[in-house]
Amino acid sequence: MDSFEARAAVITGGANGIGFACAQEFARRGARIMLADIDQTSLDAAVATLRGDGVDAHGVLCDVRKLDDVTRLADEAFGVFGEVHLVFNNAGIAYAGPIAQASHEDWRFVIDVDLWGPIHGVEAFLPRLITQDADSHIAFTSSFAGLIPNVGLGPYCVAKYGVVALAETLSREVRADGIGVTVLCPMIVETNLLTNTERVRSEDYGPPTPSPASTVAQLASAPGDDSVLNVDDVARLTADAILANRLYVLPHRASRESIQRRFARIDRTFEDQIAQGWTH
């Protein structure tokens, strides 16, 4: 994709937060928008806001945990727009708490939304994007926690690492099909992620395991904290990355040192092994 003008963009988790900010940014650059969200009230309000700004906008109620829902979303998008040029698998929830205290249902909830959701997006849209033979793009929202392990965020890290792996592998596999791939890996952004997580956890997962305030704080915005980025700034950077066909979006400069240290530790392993006589 070299332009958003008249292009059709589908965004899951699009009624608020990063999803809605990106919808507004893509629309400002000329895109037609289809928002998907699990909350009908918020979805209707978001679509109404876009339409009030003159955007060709549509909304589809969608639970990304369900492949049938995401397939129906794809049906609606291609039915309305004819072609789809950008699929942004953005819907996600947060989880904070030590691995030793996480219940099986906590794991299932996080992975169902944060990893199966993006997988369903690929399953539902990728074959059609390949068939339509037009320049297109698939984007994902992961997290800094998808690149660097965070104590107290184990299940969340596992799911978000999976999203990064999905994006990295997919980018290699679909390059020849003219499909670009981008994965957004922010630290803390001004969103209501924790509130949304509490709202969308359905009864079949049971009550969440209580988490220490110290671990919850890793996912929450702190007033006046200059490390918390404005969601509109993240949206602009994401739009720029899509047009530049950059695989990674890393909005926080503060994450760079941690990323460098992680890969330095991995590389050091070779030297440690050689020092102990490993020759293969």
mmCIF file of all heavy atoms in Angstrom, residues 197-250:
data_model
loop_
_atom_site.group_PDB
_atom_site.id
_atom_site.type_symbol
_atom_site.label_atom_id
_atom_site.label_comp_id
_atom_site.label_asym_id
_atom_site.label_seq_id
_atom_site.Cartn_x
_atom_site.Cartn_y
_atom_site.Cartn_z
ATOM 1 N N THR A 197 -10.894 -4.800 29.447
ATOM 2 C CA THR A 197 -10.638 -6.196 29.791
ATOM 3 C C THR A 197 -11.674 -6.700 30.777
ATOM 4 O O THR A 197 -12.231 -7.796 30.610
ATOM 5 C CB THR A 197 -9.226 -6.342 30.383
ATOM 6 O OG1 THR A 197 -8.273 -5.965 29.389
ATOM 7 C CG2 THR A 197 -8.964 -7.769 30.824
ATOM 8 N N GLU A 198 -11.937 -5.926 31.812
ATOM 9 C CA GLU A 198 -12.939 -6.313 32.807
ATOM 10 C C GLU A 198 -14.320 -6.428 32.174
ATOM 11 O O GLU A 198 -15.116 -7.312 32.517
ATOM 12 C CB GLU A 198 -12.967 -5.277 33.936
ATOM 13 C CG GLU A 198 -11.660 -5.227 34.736
ATOM 14 C CD GLU A 198 -11.634 -4.050 35.693
ATOM 15 O OE1 GLU A 198 -12.609 -3.260 35.700
ATOM 16 O OE2 GLU A 198 -10.632 -3.902 36.420
ATOM 17 N N ARG A 199 -14.603 -5.560 31.213
ATOM 18 C CA ARG A 199 -15.932 -5.519 30.604
ATOM 19 C C ARG A 199 -16.191 -6.710 29.690
ATOM 20 O O ARG A 199 -17.313 -7.213 29.626
ATOM 21 C CB ARG A 199 -16.066 -4.198 29.817
ATOM 22 C CG ARG A 199 -17.382 -4.014 29.098
ATOM 23 C CD ARG A 199 -17.466 -2.605 28.515
ATOM 24 N NE ARG A 199 -16.292 -2.256 27.734
ATOM 25 C CZ ARG A 199 -16.117 -2.626 26.469
ATOM 26 N NH1 ARG A 199 -17.024 -3.356 25.862
ATOM 27 N NH2 ARG A 199 -15.024 -2.266 25.809
ATOM 28 N N VAL A 200 -15.170 -7.173 28.972
ATOM 29 C CA VAL A 200 -15.413 -8.195 27.956
ATOM 30 C C VAL A 200 -15.186 -9.619 28.455
ATOM 31 O O VAL A 200 -15.487 -10.568 27.742
ATOM 32 C CB VAL A 200 -14.532 -7.966 26.700
ATOM 33 C CG1 VAL A 200 -14.763 -6.574 26.138
ATOM 34 C CG2 VAL A 200 -13.054 -8.198 26.985
ATOM 35 N N ARG A 201 -14.679 -9.770 29.671
ATOM 36 C CA ARG A 201 -14.473 -11.134 30.185
ATOM 37 C C ARG A 201 -15.827 -11.756 30.482
ATOM 38 O O ARG A 201 -16.552 -11.335 31.377
ATOM 39 C CB ARG A 201 -13.596 -11.132 31.430
ATOM 40 C CG ARG A 201 -13.342 -12.543 31.978
ATOM 41 C CD ARG A 201 -12.201 -12.585 32.945
ATOM 42 N NE ARG A 201 -12.036 -13.917 33.521
ATOM 43 C CZ ARG A 201 -10.855 -14.433 33.875
ATOM 44 N NH1 ARG A 201 -9.751 -13.722 33.706
ATOM 45 N NH2 ARG A 201 -10.774 -15.645 34.399
ATOM 46 N N SER A 202 -16.181 -12.781 29.731
ATOM 47 C CA SER A 202 -17.505 -13.388 29.856
ATOM 48 C C SER A 202 -17.526 -14.421 30.979
ATOM 49 O O SER A 202 -16.490 -14.870 31.476
ATOM 50 C CB SER A 202 -17.915 -14.036 28.529
ATOM 51 O OG SER A 202 -16.919 -14.937 28.092
ATOM 52 N N GLU A 203 -18.728 -14.821 31.372
ATOM 53 C CA GLU A 203 -18.912 -15.685 32.527
ATOM 54 C C GLU A 203 -18.278 -17.063 32.341
ATOM 55 O O GLU A 203 -17.922 -17.721 33.321
ATOM 56 C CB GLU A 203 -20.406 -15.841 32.825
ATOM 57 C CG GLU A 203 -21.082 -14.561 33.310
ATOM 58 C CD GLU A 203 -22.555 -14.761 33.601
ATOM 59 O OE1 GLU A 203 -23.046 -15.902 33.382
ATOM 60 O OE2 GLU A 203 -23.211 -13.798 34.046
ATOM 61 N N ASP A 204 -18.123 -17.507 31.094
ATOM 62 C CA ASP A 204 -17.578 -18.852 30.884
ATOM 63 C C ASP A 204 -16.112 -18.961 31.292
ATOM 64 O O ASP A 204 -15.575 -20.061 31.394
ATOM 65 C CB ASP A 204 -17.765 -19.300 29.433
ATOM 66 C CG ASP A 204 -17.155 -18.341 28.428
ATOM 67 O OD1 ASP A 204 -17.396 -17.137 28.557
ATOM 68 O OD2 ASP A 204 -16.470 -18.811 27.511
ATOM 69 N N TYR A 205 -15.445 -17.824 31.535
ATOM 70 C CA TYR A 205 -14.075 -17.856 32.040
ATOM 71 C C TYR A 205 -14.019 -17.790 33.562
ATOM 72 O O TYR A 205 -12.934 -17.927 34.129
ATOM 73 C CB TYR A 205 -13.266 -16.679 31.478
ATOM 74 C CG TYR A 205 -13.068 -16.727 29.986
ATOM 75 C CD1 TYR A 205 -13.773 -15.866 29.150
ATOM 76 C CD2 TYR A 205 -12.184 -17.623 29.395
ATOM 77 C CE1 TYR A 205 -13.600 -15.892 27.779
ATOM 78 C CE2 TYR A 205 -12.001 -17.663 28.024
ATOM 79 C CZ TYR A 205 -12.714 -16.797 27.217
ATOM 80 O OH TYR A 205 -12.549 -16.815 25.855
ATOM 81 N N GLY A 206 -15.148 -17.546 34.205
ATOM 82 C CA GLY A 206 -15.149 -17.395 35.638
ATOM 83 C C GLY A 206 -14.529 -16.076 36.060
ATOM 84 O O GLY A 206 -14.102 -15.272 35.231
ATOM 85 N N PRO A 207 -14.431 -15.829 37.363
ATOM 86 C CA PRO A 207 -13.842 -14.568 37.850
ATOM 87 C C PRO A 207 -12.338 -14.549 37.619
ATOM 88 O O PRO A 207 -11.677 -15.591 37.699
ATOM 89 C CB PRO A 207 -14.180 -14.579 39.344
ATOM 90 C CG PRO A 207 -14.324 -16.026 39.687
ATOM 91 C CD PRO A 207 -14.893 -16.692 38.466
ATOM 92 N N PRO A 208 -11.777 -13.372 37.346
ATOM 93 C CA PRO A 208 -10.325 -13.283 37.160
ATOM 94 C C PRO A 208 -9.588 -13.492 38.467
ATOM 95 O O PRO A 208 -10.105 -13.206 39.549
ATOM 96 C CB PRO A 208 -10.122 -11.857 36.637
ATOM 97 C CG PRO A 208 -11.295 -11.093 37.166
ATOM 98 C CD PRO A 208 -12.447 -12.066 37.183
ATOM 99 N N THR A 209 -8.376 -14.014 38.381
ATOM 100 C CA THR A 209 -7.527 -14.144 39.555
ATOM 101 C C THR A 209 -7.078 -12.753 39.995
ATOM 102 O O THR A 209 -6.566 -11.991 39.172
ATOM 103 C CB THR A 209 -6.301 -15.009 39.233
ATOM 104 O OG1 THR A 209 -6.739 -16.289 38.762
ATOM 105 C CG2 THR A 209 -5.420 -15.185 40.466
ATOM 106 N N PRO A 210 -7.271 -12.383 41.262
ATOM 107 C CA PRO A 210 -6.825 -11.050 41.719
ATOM 108 C C PRO A 210 -5.326 -10.870 41.483
ATOM 109 O O PRO A 210 -4.535 -11.782 41.713
ATOM 110 C CB PRO A 210 -7.154 -11.067 43.219
ATOM 111 C CG PRO A 210 -8.211 -12.124 43.369
ATOM 112 C CD PRO A 210 -7.896 -13.158 42.338
ATOM 113 N N SER A 211 -4.956 -9.685 41.031
ATOM 114 C CA SER A 211 -3.554 -9.396 40.726
ATOM 115 C C SER A 211 -3.017 -8.334 41.670
ATOM 116 O O SER A 211 -3.732 -7.400 42.023
ATOM 117 C CB SER A 211 -3.414 -8.903 39.283
ATOM 118 O OG SER A 211 -3.870 -9.885 38.379
ATOM 119 N N PRO A 212 -1.746 -8.439 42.053
ATOM 120 C CA PRO A 212 -1.137 -7.396 42.893
ATOM 121 C C PRO A 212 -1.153 -6.048 42.182
ATOM 122 O O PRO A 212 -0.994 -5.979 40.962
ATOM 123 C CB PRO A 212 0.295 -7.899 43.086
ATOM 124 C CG PRO A 212 0.267 -9.356 42.748
ATOM 125 C CD PRO A 212 -0.816 -9.525 41.739
ATOM 126 N N ALA A 213 -1.338 -5.002 42.943
ATOM 127 C CA ALA A 213 -1.392 -3.654 42.362
ATOM 128 C C ALA A 213 -0.113 -3.331 41.596
ATOM 129 O O ALA A 213 -0.144 -2.628 40.590
ATOM 130 C CB ALA A 213 -1.622 -2.626 43.460
ATOM 131 N N SER A 214 1.018 -3.872 42.034
ATOM 132 C CA SER A 214 2.295 -3.570 41.385
ATOM 133 C C SER A 214 2.355 -4.106 39.960
ATOM 134 O O SER A 214 2.962 -3.484 39.085
ATOM 135 C CB SER A 214 3.452 -4.137 42.200
ATOM 136 O OG SER A 214 3.307 -5.545 42.348
ATOM 137 N N THR A 215 1.725 -5.256 39.719
ATOM 138 C CA THR A 215 1.748 -5.799 38.361
ATOM 139 C C THR A 215 0.690 -5.137 37.489
ATOM 140 O O THR A 215 0.926 -4.903 36.307
ATOM 141 C CB THR A 215 1.537 -7.325 38.363
ATOM 142 O OG1 THR A 215 0.457 -7.657 39.231
ATOM 143 C CG2 THR A 215 2.774 -8.046 38.818
ATOM 144 N N VAL A 216 -0.439 -4.823 38.062
ATOM 145 C CA VAL A 216 -1.464 -4.117 37.301
ATOM 146 C C VAL A 216 -0.931 -2.771 36.819
ATOM 147 O O VAL A 216 -1.213 -2.328 35.701
ATOM 148 C CB VAL A 216 -2.742 -3.928 38.146
ATOM 149 C CG1 VAL A 216 -3.754 -3.045 37.412
ATOM 150 C CG2 VAL A 216 -3.375 -5.269 38.479
ATOM 151 N N ALA A 217 -0.122 -2.130 37.648
ATOM 152 C CA ALA A 217 0.419 -0.816 37.309
ATOM 153 C C ALA A 217 1.271 -0.838 36.048
ATOM 154 O O ALA A 217 1.429 0.171 35.372
ATOM 155 C CB ALA A 217 1.240 -0.273 38.473
ATOM 156 N N GLN A 218 1.818 -2.018 35.704
ATOM 157 C CA GLN A 218 2.639 -2.121 34.499
ATOM 158 C C GLN A 218 1.821 -1.918 33.228
ATOM 159 O O GLN A 218 2.369 -1.625 32.171
ATOM 160 C CB GLN A 218 3.311 -3.498 34.432
ATOM 161 C CG GLN A 218 4.292 -3.762 35.548
ATOM 162 C CD GLN A 218 4.952 -5.123 35.386
ATOM 163 O OE1 GLN A 218 5.703 -5.349 34.454
ATOM 164 N NE2 GLN A 218 4.665 -6.026 36.299
ATOM 165 N N LEU A 219 0.507 -2.077 33.327
ATOM 166 C CA LEU A 219 -0.366 -1.949 32.168
ATOM 167 C C LEU A 219 -1.223 -0.690 32.211
ATOM 168 O O LEU A 219 -1.994 -0.441 31.301
ATOM 169 C CB LEU A 219 -1.296 -3.173 32.083
ATOM 170 C CG LEU A 219 -0.620 -4.510 31.800
ATOM 171 C CD1 LEU A 219 -1.593 -5.647 32.038
ATOM 172 C CD2 LEU A 219 -0.094 -4.552 30.384
ATOM 173 N N ALA A 220 -1.108 0.083 33.272
ATOM 174 C CA ALA A 220 -1.994 1.231 33.465
ATOM 175 C C ALA A 220 -1.271 2.549 33.227
ATOM 176 O O ALA A 220 -0.100 2.693 33.536
ATOM 177 C CB ALA A 220 -2.573 1.209 34.887
ATOM 178 N N SER A 221 -1.995 3.503 32.682
ATOM 179 C CA SER A 221 -1.444 4.840 32.468
ATOM 180 C C SER A 221 -1.397 5.604 33.789
ATOM 181 O O SER A 221 -2.355 5.589 34.552
ATOM 182 C CB SER A 221 -2.299 5.610 31.460
ATOM 183 O OG SER A 221 -2.374 4.913 30.243
ATOM 184 N N ALA A 222 -0.288 6.255 34.035
ATOM 185 C CA ALA A 222 -0.157 7.074 35.240
ATOM 186 C C ALA A 222 -0.249 8.541 34.868
ATOM 187 O O ALA A 222 0.451 8.993 33.968
ATOM 188 C CB ALA A 222 1.189 6.801 35.911
ATOM 189 N N PRO A 223 -1.142 9.299 35.506
ATOM 190 C CA PRO A 223 -1.271 10.723 35.176
ATOM 191 C C PRO A 223 0.063 11.446 35.275
ATOM 192 O O PRO A 223 0.794 11.296 36.248
ATOM 193 C CB PRO A 223 -2.263 11.231 36.234
ATOM 194 C CG PRO A 223 -3.015 10.011 36.672
ATOM 195 C CD PRO A 223 -2.032 8.877 36.581
ATOM 196 N N GLY A 224 0.396 12.205 34.258
ATOM 197 C CA GLY A 224 1.621 12.986 34.275
ATOM 198 C C GLY A 224 2.872 12.206 33.932
ATOM 199 O O GLY A 224 3.973 12.759 33.937
ATOM 200 N N ASP A 225 2.734 10.923 33.628
ATOM 201 C CA ASP A 225 3.899 10.105 33.271
ATOM 202 C C ASP A 225 4.258 10.372 31.813
ATOM 203 O O ASP A 225 3.499 10.053 30.911
ATOM 204 C CB ASP A 225 3.551 8.627 33.484
ATOM 205 C CG ASP A 225 4.751 7.715 33.263
ATOM 206 O OD1 ASP A 225 5.745 8.181 32.681
ATOM 207 O OD2 ASP A 225 4.678 6.541 33.672
ATOM 208 N N ASP A 226 5.455 10.940 31.587
ATOM 209 C CA ASP A 226 5.807 11.322 30.222
ATOM 210 C C ASP A 226 6.206 10.127 29.348
ATOM 211 O O ASP A 226 6.505 10.279 28.174
ATOM 212 C CB ASP A 226 6.907 12.391 30.203
ATOM 213 C CG ASP A 226 8.198 11.926 30.876
ATOM 214 O OD1 ASP A 226 8.301 10.721 31.206
ATOM 215 O OD2 ASP A 226 9.091 12.767 31.068
ATOM 216 N N SER A 227 6.228 8.918 29.935
ATOM 217 C CA SER A 227 6.481 7.723 29.131
ATOM 218 C C SER A 227 5.202 7.175 28.506
ATOM 219 O O SER A 227 5.233 6.250 27.711
ATOM 220 C CB SER A 227 7.143 6.634 29.987
ATOM 221 O OG SER A 227 6.227 6.120 30.935
ATOM 222 N N VAL A 228 4.045 7.739 28.893
ATOM 223 C CA VAL A 228 2.750 7.322 28.348
ATOM 224 C C VAL A 228 2.466 8.143 27.096
ATOM 225 O O VAL A 228 2.376 9.371 27.162
ATOM 226 C CB VAL A 228 1.625 7.508 29.387
ATOM 227 C CG1 VAL A 228 0.285 7.103 28.779
ATOM 228 C CG2 VAL A 228 1.915 6.686 30.635
ATOM 229 N N LEU A 229 2.328 7.466 25.960
ATOM 230 C CA LEU A 229 2.141 8.177 24.703
ATOM 231 C C LEU A 229 0.678 8.444 24.412
ATOM 232 O O LEU A 229 -0.206 7.646 24.754
ATOM 233 C CB LEU A 229 2.741 7.374 23.550
ATOM 234 C CG LEU A 229 4.265 7.248 23.511
ATOM 235 C CD1 LEU A 229 4.694 6.598 22.205
ATOM 236 C CD2 LEU A 229 4.953 8.598 23.675
ATOM 237 N N ASN A 230 0.436 9.549 23.758
ATOM 238 C CA ASN A 230 -0.897 9.891 23.287
ATOM 239 C C ASN A 230 -1.299 8.947 22.169
ATOM 240 O O ASN A 230 -0.506 8.657 21.269
ATOM 241 C CB ASN A 230 -0.897 11.346 22.799
ATOM 242 C CG ASN A 230 -2.243 11.768 22.283
ATOM 243 O OD1 ASN A 230 -2.586 11.503 21.135
ATOM 244 N ND2 ASN A 230 -3.024 12.422 23.124
ATOM 245 N N VAL A 231 -2.529 8.477 22.210
ATOM 246 C CA VAL A 231 -2.983 7.472 21.251
ATOM 247 C C VAL A 231 -2.977 8.009 19.813
ATOM 248 O O VAL A 231 -2.731 7.261 18.857
ATOM 249 C CB VAL A 231 -4.371 6.943 21.659
ATOM 250 C CG1 VAL A 231 -5.451 7.983 21.484
ATOM 251 C CG2 VAL A 231 -4.721 5.678 20.900
ATOM 252 N N ASP A 232 -3.205 9.298 19.652
ATOM 253 C CA ASP A 232 -3.195 9.871 18.298
ATOM 254 C C ASP A 232 -1.792 9.869 17.699
ATOM 255 O O ASP A 232 -1.622 9.673 16.496
ATOM 256 C CB ASP A 232 -3.751 11.303 18.332
ATOM 257 C CG ASP A 232 -5.212 11.341 18.718
ATOM 258 O OD1 ASP A 232 -5.944 10.388 18.388
ATOM 259 O OD2 ASP A 232 -5.632 12.318 19.365
ATOM 260 N N ASP A 233 -0.776 10.067 18.537
ATOM 261 C CA ASP A 233 0.605 10.004 18.051
ATOM 262 C C ASP A 233 0.953 8.590 17.599
ATOM 263 O O ASP A 233 1.615 8.389 16.571
ATOM 264 C CB ASP A 233 1.578 10.447 19.147
ATOM 265 C CG ASP A 233 1.453 11.923 19.489
ATOM 266 O OD1 ASP A 233 1.013 12.700 18.608
ATOM 267 O OD2 ASP A 233 1.788 12.300 20.630
ATOM 268 N N VAL A 234 0.500 7.602 18.362
ATOM 269 C CA VAL A 234 0.738 6.204 17.993
ATOM 270 C C VAL A 234 0.030 5.872 16.683
ATOM 271 O O VAL A 234 0.577 5.167 15.829
ATOM 272 C CB VAL A 234 0.282 5.261 19.120
ATOM 273 C CG1 VAL A 234 0.376 3.797 18.688
ATOM 274 C CG2 VAL A 234 1.113 5.495 20.381
ATOM 275 N N ALA A 235 -1.167 6.406 16.504
ATOM 276 C CA ALA A 235 -1.913 6.164 15.265
ATOM 277 C C ALA A 235 -1.184 6.736 14.052
ATOM 278 O O ALA A 235 -1.110 6.099 12.997
ATOM 279 C CB ALA A 235 -3.314 6.761 15.376
ATOM 280 N N ARG A 236 -0.631 7.937 14.202
ATOM 281 C CA ARG A 236 0.103 8.540 13.083
ATOM 282 C C ARG A 236 1.348 7.726 12.730
ATOM 283 O O ARG A 236 1.639 7.491 11.547
ATOM 284 C CB ARG A 236 0.497 9.991 13.416
ATOM 285 C CG ARG A 236 -0.658 10.970 13.318
ATOM 286 C CD ARG A 236 -0.178 12.401 13.350
ATOM 287 N NE ARG A 236 0.393 12.757 14.656
ATOM 288 C CZ ARG A 236 -0.338 13.200 15.672
ATOM 289 N NH1 ARG A 236 -1.644 13.346 15.548
ATOM 290 N NH2 ARG A 236 0.246 13.523 16.822
ATOM 291 N N LEU A 237 2.061 7.290 13.739
ATOM 292 C CA LEU A 237 3.255 6.485 13.497
ATOM 293 C C LEU A 237 2.892 5.153 12.839
ATOM 294 O O LEU A 237 3.598 4.673 11.941
ATOM 295 C CB LEU A 237 3.988 6.241 14.812
ATOM 296 C CG LEU A 237 5.316 5.487 14.732
ATOM 297 C CD1 LEU A 237 6.332 6.253 13.892
ATOM 298 C CD2 LEU A 237 5.859 5.214 16.130
ATOM 299 N N THR A 238 1.782 4.560 13.259
ATOM 300 C CA THR A 238 1.332 3.294 12.683
ATOM 301 C C THR A 238 0.952 3.466 11.217
ATOM 302 O O THR A 238 1.316 2.644 10.361
ATOM 303 C CB THR A 238 0.149 2.741 13.487
ATOM 304 O OG1 THR A 238 0.540 2.560 14.857
ATOM 305 C CG2 THR A 238 -0.341 1.419 12.920
ATOM 306 N N ALA A 239 0.229 4.530 10.905
ATOM 307 C CA ALA A 239 -0.143 4.799 9.510
ATOM 308 C C ALA A 239 1.095 5.000 8.645
ATOM 309 O O ALA A 239 1.179 4.473 7.522
ATOM 310 C CB ALA A 239 -1.049 6.024 9.442
ATOM 311 N N ASP A 240 2.063 5.740 9.149
ATOM 312 C CA ASP A 240 3.311 5.959 8.411
ATOM 313 C C ASP A 240 4.034 4.638 8.159
ATOM 314 O O ASP A 240 4.577 4.408 7.068
ATOM 315 C CB ASP A 240 4.238 6.897 9.181
ATOM 316 C CG ASP A 240 3.741 8.341 9.227
ATOM 317 O OD1 ASP A 240 2.863 8.690 8.408
ATOM 318 O OD2 ASP A 240 4.226 9.100 10.080
ATOM 319 N N ALA A 241 4.052 3.763 9.163
ATOM 320 C CA ALA A 241 4.741 2.475 9.041
ATOM 321 C C ALA A 241 4.076 1.586 7.994
ATOM 322 O O ALA A 241 4.752 0.889 7.227
ATOM 323 C CB ALA A 241 4.768 1.761 10.393
ATOM 324 N N ILE A 242 2.752 1.607 7.959
ATOM 325 C CA ILE A 242 2.029 0.807 6.968
ATOM 326 C C ILE A 242 2.382 1.266 5.556
ATOM 327 O O ILE A 242 2.669 0.451 4.672
ATOM 328 C CB ILE A 242 0.517 0.874 7.234
ATOM 329 C CG1 ILE A 242 0.172 0.101 8.512
ATOM 330 C CG2 ILE A 242 -0.275 0.334 6.039
ATOM 331 C CD1 ILE A 242 -1.230 0.320 9.017
ATOM 332 N N LEU A 243 2.387 2.571 5.337
ATOM 333 C CA LEU A 243 2.703 3.086 4.002
ATOM 334 C C LEU A 243 4.164 2.826 3.635
ATOM 335 O O LEU A 243 4.484 2.636 2.458
ATOM 336 C CB LEU A 243 2.408 4.583 3.933
ATOM 337 C CG LEU A 243 0.932 4.979 4.060
ATOM 338 C CD1 LEU A 243 0.771 6.486 3.901
ATOM 339 C CD2 LEU A 243 0.067 4.247 3.036
ATOM 340 N N ALA A 244 5.043 2.791 4.620
ATOM 341 C CA ALA A 244 6.458 2.509 4.369
ATOM 342 C C ALA A 244 6.748 1.007 4.343
ATOM 343 O O ALA A 244 7.878 0.604 4.082
ATOM 344 C CB ALA A 244 7.317 3.178 5.438
ATOM 345 N N ASN A 245 5.713 0.213 4.619
ATOM 346 C CA ASN A 245 5.853 -1.249 4.690
ATOM 347 C C ASN A 245 6.928 -1.651 5.704
ATOM 348 O O ASN A 245 7.731 -2.554 5.456
ATOM 349 C CB ASN A 245 6.157 -1.859 3.320
ATOM 350 C CG ASN A 245 5.895 -3.367 3.298
ATOM 351 O OD1 ASN A 245 5.139 -3.892 4.109
ATOM 352 N ND2 ASN A 245 6.537 -4.058 2.378
ATOM 353 N N ARG A 246 6.927 -0.982 6.857
ATOM 354 C CA ARG A 246 7.827 -1.360 7.942
ATOM 355 C C ARG A 246 7.183 -2.473 8.759
ATOM 356 O O ARG A 246 6.008 -2.382 9.120
ATOM 357 C CB ARG A 246 8.131 -0.167 8.855
ATOM 358 C CG ARG A 246 9.152 0.787 8.297
ATOM 359 C CD ARG A 246 9.736 1.684 9.393
ATOM 360 N NE ARG A 246 8.741 2.548 9.987
ATOM 361 C CZ ARG A 246 8.390 3.746 9.493
ATOM 362 N NH1 ARG A 246 8.952 4.195 8.384
ATOM 363 N NH2 ARG A 246 7.499 4.482 10.103
ATOM 364 N N LEU A 247 7.960 -3.488 9.075
ATOM 365 C CA LEU A 247 7.414 -4.612 9.829
ATOM 366 C C LEU A 247 7.093 -4.216 11.262
ATOM 367 O O LEU A 247 6.051 -4.577 11.793
ATOM 368 C CB LEU A 247 8.402 -5.786 9.801
ATOM 369 C CG LEU A 247 8.016 -7.021 10.616
ATOM 370 C CD1 LEU A 247 6.643 -7.555 10.205
ATOM 371 C CD2 LEU A 247 9.082 -8.104 10.470
ATOM 372 N N TYR A 248 7.992 -3.477 11.909
ATOM 373 C CA TYR A 248 7.812 -3.150 13.324
ATOM 374 C C TYR A 248 7.432 -1.681 13.501
ATOM 375 O O TYR A 248 7.953 -0.811 12.801
ATOM 376 C CB TYR A 248 9.101 -3.409 14.109
ATOM 377 C CG TYR A 248 9.641 -4.809 13.949
ATOM 378 C CD1 TYR A 248 10.720 -5.051 13.106
ATOM 379 C CD2 TYR A 248 9.087 -5.887 14.637
ATOM 380 C CE1 TYR A 248 11.232 -6.333 12.944
ATOM 381 C CE2 TYR A 248 9.581 -7.169 14.476
ATOM 382 C CZ TYR A 248 10.661 -7.390 13.629
ATOM 383 O OH TYR A 248 11.156 -8.660 13.468
ATOM 384 N N VAL A 249 6.542 -1.439 14.460
ATOM 385 C CA VAL A 249 6.269 -0.082 14.927
ATOM 386 C C VAL A 249 6.643 -0.059 16.400
ATOM 387 O O VAL A 249 6.036 -0.761 17.217
ATOM 388 C CB VAL A 249 4.792 0.326 14.753
ATOM 389 C CG1 VAL A 249 4.608 1.801 15.110
ATOM 390 C CG2 VAL A 249 4.305 0.046 13.347
ATOM 391 N N LEU A 250 7.642 0.746 16.754
ATOM 392 C CA LEU A 250 8.167 0.814 18.119
ATOM 393 C C LEU A 250 8.067 2.266 18.591
ATOM 394 O O LEU A 250 9.021 3.034 18.479
ATOM 395 C CB LEU A 250 9.614 0.325 18.147
ATOM 396 C CG LEU A 250 9.819 -1.116 17.625
ATOM 397 C CD1 LEU A 250 11.297 -1.419 17.449
ATOM 398 C CD2 LEU A 250 9.172 -2.123 18.581
#
